Amino acid sequence: PVVLSAKVVDELDKLKIKLDASGVQNVQKALRSINYQMTQRDVRMELSDPGLLPADFDRRSPDNMILTVALKYKSNRYNPILLTSDNGLQIKARGLGVTTISLKEILKK
């Protein structure tokens, strides 16, 4: 399954008020695509669990909230792969034993 952090949808929704018209169209396109994929494939939305974060991590950080979804699956003996091009999030995830891949790496394949 593809598991989508609810925080990703929340952050996309927030972008609609901050971007120019072209950016808003891209965000709306992304949200429509996510909505469609949730009806066509095994795409699930999962809530964050800040209690899974190490004490040093900011529990209100959107990146860290996204990371907790991967940590939740890792604690259930799955091997989640976190898709992100954010270097900071990649470092945190890898430091906590979560495999990461960037969109650029996926598109190469």
Side-chain angles (χ1 to χ4, degrees):
V2 173
V3 180
L4 181 66
S5 169
K7 192 62 180 171
V8 170
V9 176
D10 185 53
E11 290 297 303
L12 282 170
D13 209 34
K14 284 182 193 175
L15 284 175
K16 291 189 300 188
I17 59 172
K18 297 179 182 179
L19 298 175
D20 63 10
S22 174
V24 169
Q25 285 181 334
N26 287 335
V27 168
Q28 289 173 332
K29 183 178 177 183
L31 289 169
R32 276 193 303 275
S33 178
I34 291 167
N35 193 28
Y36 176 76
Q37 292 301 321
M38 289 181 84
T39 65
Q40 300 299 310
R41 303 177 70 176
D42 191 5
V43 177
R44 306 171 192 166
M45 189 169 73
E46 187 78 39
L47 300 176
S48 66
D49 182 355
L52 295 173
L53 291 170
D56 290 352
F57 285 43
D58 178 356
R59 286 167 170 33
R60 291 184 288 166
S61 159
D63 285 352
N64 292 345
M65 292 173 119
I66 292 165
L67 177 58
T68 68
V69 172
L71 292 173
K72 191 184 294 189
Y73 277 81
K74 185 175 182 281
S75 69
N76 288 331
R77 297 194 179 119
Y78 290 98
N79 186 23
I81 300 172
L82 180 62
L83 172 63
T84 182
S85 297
D86 182 305
N87 285 317
L89 184 51
Q90 286 179 351
I91 292 166
K92 290 182 218 179
R94 289 179 181 155
L96 295 173
V98 175
T99 302
T100 68
I101 190 166
S102 70
L103 185 57
K104 192 175 186 178
E105 291 172 302
I106 287 178
L107 294 176
K108 281 183 188 176
K109 298 178 182 187

